Amino acid sequence: MAERLSYTDTTTNIRAVGDMIYNIDFQEAALLQLLGFTSANLKKFAVKQGWPSTKLEILEDVNVPFTTLLDESGFDSSETDMTITTGTGVYFRKGDVLGIRPTGTTTGDFQEKVLVTGVSGDVLPIVRGWGDTNGTAALTGTGIKLLTRTMPENNIYTTEHITTPTAPYNYTQILDAAVEMSKTEELMSRYGINDHMDMQVAKLFNNSGQEGRLAQLLHQTFYYGERILRASGTAYGSMGGFEIFVTTSTASTDHVVDLNQAALSLKDIHGVIRAIRDANGRVTHLVTGSFGFEKIRDFYKDSVRTVQEDRVMGSPAVDEIVTPHGRVRLVYDWMCPTGRYYFINADKMGWVPYRDFERKSIYGGNTNNPYDGTIEQVIGEYTFMVANPKSHGLIFDAHASL
C-alpha cells in the first residue's frame, strides 16, 4: 500500500496543532511567540491550584509607597508639622527621615531633610533641617520621599503599614474554525498537494509562513480584547487584552500617555521607561508597528544593535536599543495599531490555555452517516494575563509622521 503523506500529521495530537505557530517567521507572529500561549505560562503567574477554570485570577501585593506630596500652603522654613496628601499619612512612621524636593517640583535633589517624630492622620510632626540641611519653605505639591528610618535605643518596635493584595483576573475565550469539503473535493488530486484537508486546516495557523486565521484571532486579543464574563454555556464571553490591565488607574499617567496626535519624541519614550523603572519595574521589549519601528530605529540609529531573542524558539535576531534606563528590545508587530507603543515586561504577561487548540472531526467520515463529506474543526480556549501593571506602559494616539 502506498504511503499517504500530509503537510501535518493526521492524528488529533493537541500539541501538533498549536506548535505550528512556532513554524511561522518570528516577524509574522512576534507576540504569540514572545509571550507564549502554553501552560508553561502558569509559572509566570505562580498558579498552583484552582486551574483550569474559566476565570484566571492571581494575587498581587505592592510595597508601601515611599512618596507623597506636601498638601498645605504657608509651609515656611520653621514650621514643625507638615500636612501631606490625604490618605498617605498611614505610610509613614515616627523615626522616618524624609527628603523634600525643590519647591513646587517632584524631581531633583532634596532641598531639605526632616525627621518625623509622630504621625497624626495626614499631619506629620517633624524636626526641620535634619543633618547637614536647613529649613526651607515649600509650595503645595512639592514632592516628599522616605529616605531611611532611624530609631533611638530601647525603642519597643515600629509597626509597618500593611497593604491589601489585589486580585487581577481574566476570563477564557473560545476560538474555533472548521473546514468543510465533500469527499470528492477531499480526494481530488492536486499538483503539490497530498492532502487537501490537511492543507486547509494547516492554513488556520501557518499560511505559507504567515500567521493563519486562528493565530491572528488569538494574537489580536492583546490589542483589542474585552473582558466579558460568559454567564452561561450559550452566552458569548471574551478575554481582556493589555489595555484592560495597564491603565492610568492601575499604573499612572506617566505609564500610560496620550499624545493627542503630537509627534513621538525621545522624551516621551524615556518618560514611560523612567516611570516603569521608578516603580521598580523593568521594560524588556517595546512593541510597535511598521511606522513606529522605523521611527524608533531612527531615534537610536547610533546605538541600535542586533541580539538573539532567547525567549523564542530558534533565538531569532532582534534589534536592541540603549536608553538611559537600560537596554530594550524592539518588536515589530504588523498587527499593532498605528500610533501605539507598548512597553512590556515579557516575563510578566502571556496567554494561558484552558484547553489547547485541538483538531477533530465533528461530522462525516462515519459509515453510519449519510453525509458525503468531511468537516474538520480546530477549537481552543485561552485567556490572557498581565502581572504587575506598573512594569508596563503605553503611548497612544501619536501622530504618524517621520
Side-chain angles (χ1 to χ4, degrees), residues 110-308:
F110 300 106
Q111 65 177 358
E112 181 187 357
K113 297 174 185 175
V114 299
L115 174 69
V116 177
T117 59
V119 178
S120 178
D122 296 315
V123 178
L124 310 179
I126 56 176
V127 173
R128 302 298 299 271
W130 183 254
D132 192 24
T133 66
N134 298 308
T136 306
L139 298 172
T140 298
T142 298
I144 299 168
K145 182 177 181 178
L146 171 63
L147 303 179
T148 188
R149 178 175 294 161
T150 179
M151 301 303 297
E153 294 182 27
N154 296 321
N155 184 67
I156 299 176
Y157 53 79
T158 300
T159 58
E160 190 55 83
H161 175 71
I162 298 176
T163 58
T164 302
T166 58
Y169 66 95
N170 210 347
Y171 299 116
T172 61
Q173 177 176 332
I174 300 171
L175 300 100
D176 94 302
V179 178
E180 179 181 11
M181 61 181 65
S182 68
K183 285 294 184 182
T184 301
E185 183 180 14
E186 183 181 5
L187 297 175
M188 187 179 297
S189 297
R190 291 173 172 82
Y191 289 113
I193 300 175
N194 292 307
D195 189 312
H196 193 211
M197 176 62 79
D198 271 5
M199 187 199 74
Q200 294 299 328
V201 171
K203 286 169 61 178
L204 296 174
F205 295 93
N206 185 343
N207 187 8
S208 300
Q210 296 182 331
E211 199 173 18
R213 187 173 182 81
L214 274 181
Q216 289 184 41
L217 293 176
L218 181 60
H219 183 161
Q220 289 189 137
T221 59
F222 178 92
Y223 299 112
Y224 307 113
E226 295 290 342
R227 187 170 59 197
I228 299 175
L229 172 65
R230 190 168 66 246
S232 69
T234 58
Y236 291 92
S238 59
M239 70 181 91
F242 177 91
E243 293 177 49
I244 295 296
F245 294 92
V246 183
T247 68
T248 55
S249 298
T250 60
S252 76
T253 54
D254 294 323
H255 287 74
V256 180
V257 179
D258 183 356
L259 288 187
N260 292 305
Q261 281 298 295
L264 180 74
S265 68
L266 274 174
K267 180 181 178 181
D268 299 321
I269 296 171
H270 295 167
V272 173
I273 300 175
R274 184 190 313 115
I276 293 170
R277 294 295 293 144
D278 287 348
N280 201 29
R282 180 172 69 97
V283 180
T284 61
H285 296 79
L286 201 171
V287 181
T288 189
S290 56
F291 174 82
F293 189 81
E294 182 179 351
K295 192 172 184 71
I296 292 174
R297 284 191 99 263
D298 186 60
F299 280 154
Y300 295 94
K301 58 186 176 184
D302 295 326
S303 62
V304 67
R305 66 172 187 163
T306 301
V307 298
Q308 301 303 122

Side-chain angles (χ1 to χ4, degrees), residues 65-73 75 82-89 91-92 98-107 110 122-124 138-146 254:
F66 274 54
T67 60
T68 186
L69 299 174
L70 184 66
D71 192 19
E72 65 172 280
S73 58
F75 185 74
M82 178 170 62
T83 303
I84 58 177
T85 300
T86 301
T88 62
Y91 303 146
F92 301 97
L98 308 181
I100 301 177
R101 302 284 188 184
T103 182
T105 72
T106 57
T107 60
F110 300 106
D122 296 315
V123 178
L124 310 179
L139 298 172
T140 298
T142 298
I144 299 168
K145 182 177 181 178
L146 171 63
D254 294 323

Side-chain angles (χ1 to χ4, degrees), residues 38-89:
T38 70
S39 296
N41 274 346
L42 291 171
K43 295 180 180 179
K44 288 185 180 181
F45 312 115
V47 177
K48 298 180 180 179
Q49 58 184 4
W51 182 261
S53 170
T54 56
K55 180 180 181 181
L56 176 60
E57 192 171 9
I58 64 175
L59 290 178
E60 289 187 336
D61 203 355
V62 296
N63 291 323
V64 177
F66 274 54
T67 60
T68 186
L69 299 174
L70 184 66
D71 192 19
E72 65 172 280
S73 58
F75 185 74
D76 59 28
S77 61
S78 60
E79 189 168 350
T80 57
D81 58 58
M82 178 170 62
T83 303
I84 58 177
T85 300
T86 301
T88 62

Side-chain angles (χ1 to χ4, degrees), residues 6-37:
S6 64
Y7 290 100
T8 64
D9 290 337
T10 55
T11 68
T12 56
N13 186 312
I14 296 174
R15 289 184 54 81
V17 176
D19 284 356
M20 291 172 59
I21 295 177
Y22 288 110
N23 295 326
I24 305 171
D25 183 85
F26 176 68
Q27 297 293 352
E28 297 294 336
L31 281 185
L32 286 178
Q33 297 190 49
L34 178 64
L35 303 182
F37 57 99

Side-chain angles (χ1 to χ4, degrees), residues 339-382:
R340 278 176 135 71
Y341 301 81
Y342 294 82
F343 300 76
I344 69 171
N345 183 335
D347 299 324
K348 295 184 179 295
M349 65 173 63
W351 286 272
V352 177
Y354 176 81
R355 44 178 171 150
D356 292 286
F357 279 121
E358 176 185 8
R359 175 181 174 178
K360 59 183 181 178
S361 178
I362 61 172
Y363 195 64
N366 187 326
T367 56
N368 296 320
N369 192 327
Y371 174 69
D372 183 33
T374 301
I375 302 174
E376 294 284 331
Q377 180 192 35
V378 177
I379 186 169
E381 189 168 353
Y382 290 80

